[in-house]
Amino acid sequence: MQVSKLGIASLLCLAGAAMAQSDEPLQPIEPAKVTNQALVDLGAKLFFDPRLSRSGFISCNSCHNLSMGGSDNLKSSIGDRWQQGPINSPTVLNSSLNLAQFWDGRAADLRAQAGGPIANPMEMAFSHELAVDMLQSIPGYVNEFKAVFGDDKLSIDEVTTAIAAFEETLVTPNSRFDKWLKGDKKAITEDELKGYQLFKESGCIACHNGPNVGGNSFQRMGLIEPYQTDNPAEGRFAVTGDDADRFNFKVPTLRNVELTYPYFHDGAADTLSQAVDTMGRLQLGKKFTEEENGLIVGFLKTLTGDQPSFVLPQLPPSSDKTVRPNPFN
Amino acid sequence: MQVSKLGIASLLCLAGAAMAQSDEPLQPIEPAKVTNQALVDLGAKLFFDPRLSRSGFISCNSCHNLSMGGSDNLKSSIGDRWQQGPINSPTVLNSSLNLAQFWDGRAADLRAQAGGPIANPMEMAFSHELAVDMLQSIPGYVNEFKAVFGDDKLSIDEVTTAIAAFEETLVTPNSRFDKWLKGDKKAITEDELKGYQLFKESGCIACHNGPNVGGNSFQRMGLIEPYQTDNPAEGRFAVTGDDADRFNFKVPTLRNVELTYPYFHDGAADTLSQAVDTMGRLQLGKKFTEEENGLIVGFLKTLTGDQPSFVLPQLPPSSDKTVRPNPFN
Ligand code: HEC
Ligand code: HEC
Ligand code: HEC
Ligand code: HEC
Ligand SMILES: [Ca+2]
Ligand SMILES: [Ca+2]
């Protein structure tokens, strides 16, 4: 306990240092700068293409639904053959701002991440080779890869590069809170401002800071009081093997957190109010009153930004040579 | 056999009569006239909303993917808990032009149809009551239904009305063939024109005619030669109980048929070339040469029109009161 509290104190110092630089420990999200629209458009198609899965049914968008804040709003995802996923699906919105990908940070960046689900037997259950073969059998894709990458050898690297380029556009600027940060003092209400102040004063800001309001460090879940869960995930320890990292998870972004219920790596908290209550007790040793809880929840809802807005991608049709999916065998 | 051939002959006469009126037995698709954009937008949200299913995972768009020609490109669909559907998923594109909905026409129109999948235990496995409760727990939806329908009592009728209004916009004008029909004689190649002529002369036009190149009658599958399939569907007989209707199916639209593989009610034909070969033999007693087959396939591909183009809908988030889906129990 003593050590843990010291931990928080030093974290708050760090946050304090960050505060000294800008005025606030949170920074606004900047709109994406697209330098290669053709690459992004190709990535969007791949993100929506269920043919990257064994069944022909599951795409990235199945579990990171861009109509619903970039996650699936399920405790744990539904994968190939309706298999239950091991962990809650995090949002892809603003994920480019995270220090690493996945709850345990085992992928360094979006490119490294994007190859994972395609070959994961619990998720899309395909293989990189089959994915490339599939794409190569489709003239529409072959032409598009050629136009974008300037070569004939379509590869999984090109696939993940395109998906990552699309994901980099999935930022959510212009939240009411960001407008407030940029000087529009009427963008949030007085209560929402109180909620923000409470968020800072209580110590939430120690872990949830920076432009993504999180996403920039790994922290112990259950710092003051242990977290009870049936979920076997061990967090960062799975990557480093270091005992000190056991049950450390990447601090999730709180951007668009209104949309990414349920909460925590096990999806155990159905509502934002529950998640705030748990955070207060387990990370800070604080039991918020109902009013305080409501104020913080109110503030968190000001973090919902402009959702990605684009025309639903049209996928190039399979050719006679494309191997047909067979989801039931 | 004799009777069947007579059948085709009389069908061809009917088609001939149609031809006398306009110049061609096929008419172009006209763009949708939207009179109530708010109703259509609400319908689009519902079409994309997986919360209309028990699992929270399956939406109309799962099986009628508007990125892929409005079907799922699977032999039979994947429904709740990965259950295998009984029949191939037809496209929703231009389905408003069909004389009735479903392969056997058991739903009179799109409104009558739209309630079906929500409550079908093989598809979305929800119920109308749960669907309405779900929507009513979401302030974003409540406001939108109120704005559109002007009342407070959100009902399943309003839900299906909105979905049907959205589906009515899913028409695909401006195919190259339609441009040709409208006078642009360069819109299709000489070979494609030959394919069209073969399509007419061979007798395909007897069943696949009108603006939807089908969709306007029920016809026997296997008129000249029986169709071999393991699929137990009995077609129109299931609706009328009339023996003469056994194995009669709604003639599918050939609009966008390039995109709606695999073909037939059992999805047994992987390619357009196979489907054309089967149709020739079974419906007309004709074995097309490879060249003839290629010409007809070439013509059919000119029927791909403008795909629906709209910004991916954003769904209003669940509230704390919304019952959470539990896909694994
Ligand atoms: C079957 C569900 C499923 C599918 C399909 C799926 N994901 Fe995920 N995704 C998850 C889950 C669950 C996690 C968290 C896994 C973990 O942290 O161990 C995740 C994590 C991620 C992350 C990390 C986000 C972060 O902040 O840590 C990104 C990015 C991502 N997925 C993108 C994709 C892309 C791109 C695809 C398609 C190529 C895809 N996902 C397909 C369920 C899915
Ligand atoms: C010591 C670090 C730390 C502090 C302090 C902290 N958090 Fe967290 N927060 C985390 C970590 C780590 C997680 C992920 C835990 C998990 O999923 O198991 C998390 C998760 C959350 C979530 C769920 C996000 C999601 O998408 O699942 C919310 C909401 C949240 N925190 C809000 C707060 C609030 C409000 C406070 C202050 C009362 C706070 N946090 C204090 C580290 C911290
Ligand atoms: C699990 C897969 C699945 C889901 C989910 C699904 N459908 Fe279908 N749909 C089908 C199948 C299969 C058929 C054909 C059934 C038959 O003819 O007996 C069909 C038929 C249709 C038809 C008739 C088209 C025609 O020309 O006959 C329409 C329209 C339609 N669906 C719209 C919808 C809407 C709207 C929803 C959501 C409310 C929906 N579907 C959900 C699989 C699905
Ligand atoms: C006597 C009526 C009739 C004639 C003549 C006919 N068809 Fe069909 N066609 C049908 C019916 C009925 C189906 C649906 C059969 C099924 O799914 O079991 C069908 C299905 C098809 C399909 C598959 C469409 C899909 O989406 O599954 C294609 C392609 C097709 N016909 C093309 C042709 C061509 C080309 C010809 C001429 C060689 C032709 N048809 C002649 C009635 C006919
Ligand atoms: Ca979540
Ligand atoms: Ca089909």
Side-chain angles (χ1 to χ4, degrees), chain A residues 158-170:
Chain A
E158 293 180 351
V159 172
T160 57
T161 300
I163 293 177
F166 171 62
E167 289 177 311
E168 277 160 21
T169 67
L170 302 177

Side-chain angles (χ1 to χ4, degrees), chain A residues 48-60:
Chain A
F48 276 83
D49 201 326
R51 289 170 298 187
L52 287 173
S53 68
R54 186 193 70 85
S55 61
F57 189 62
I58 294 182
S59 69
C60 308

Side-chain angles (χ1 to χ4, degrees), chain B residues 71-141:
Chain B
S71 84
D72 55 13
N73 295 145
L74 300 174
K75 279 190 202 305
S76 56
S77 297
I78 296 171
D80 187 55
R81 298 168 214 241
W82 213 262
Q83 285 175 92
Q84 179 163 9
I87 208 159
N88 186 254
S89 160
T91 182
V92 289
L93 298 180
N94 307 303
S95 60
S96 56
L97 305 177
N98 293 340
L99 85 163
Q101 302 300 315
F102 292 125
W103 286 98
D104 57 12
R106 68 185 178 282
D109 56 28
L110 290 172
R111 276 195 59 206
Q113 191 285 327
I118 296 173
N120 184 334
M122 301 279 289
E123 298 188 340
M124 298 164 90
F126 219 37
S127 76
H128 291 176
E129 208 189 330
L130 289 170
V132 168
D133 283 356
M134 181 278 286
L135 295 166
Q136 211 128 32
S137 74
I138 296 175
Y141 270 130

Side-chain angles (χ1 to χ4, degrees), chain A residues 67 261 270 313-315 318 324, chain B residues 66-67 261 313 315 318 324:
Chain A
S67 298
Y261 52 90
D270 274 338
Q314 288 300 326
L315 307 181
S318 295
R324 298 302 194 250
Chain B
L66 295 174
S67 298
Y261 52 89
L315 307 180
S318 294
R324 298 302 194 249

Side-chain angles (χ1 to χ4, degrees), chain A residues 48 57 59 61-63 65-68 72 74 78 82 312, chain B residues 42-68 70-72 74 77-81 89-90 92 113-114 116-120 122-126 134 141 163 166-167 310 312-313 315 325:
Chain A
F48 276 83
F57 189 62
S59 69
N61 196 64
S62 301
C63 302
N65 196 322
L66 295 173
S67 298
M68 321 194 302
D72 54 14
L74 300 174
I78 295 172
W82 213 262
L312 184 75
Chain B
L42 175 57
K45 288 181 191 172
L46 296 168
F47 192 90
F48 277 83
D49 201 326
R51 288 170 298 186
L52 287 173
S53 68
R54 186 192 70 85
S55 61
F57 189 61
I58 295 183
S59 69
C60 308
N61 196 64
S62 301
C63 301
H64 303 286
N65 196 323
L66 295 174
S67 298
M68 321 194 301
S71 84
D72 55 13
L74 300 174
S77 297
I78 296 171
D80 187 55
R81 298 168 214 241
S89 160
V92 289
Q113 191 285 327
I118 296 173
N120 184 334
M122 301 279 289
E123 298 188 340
M124 298 164 90
F126 219 37
M134 181 278 286
Y141 270 130
I163 293 177
F166 171 61
E167 289 177 309
F310 54 88
L312 184 75
L315 307 180

Side-chain angles (χ1 to χ4, degrees), chain B residues 199-210:
Chain B
F199 185 84
K200 287 196 288 188
E201 289 158 15
S202 312
C204 312
I205 204 77
C207 299
H208 298 278
N209 54 51

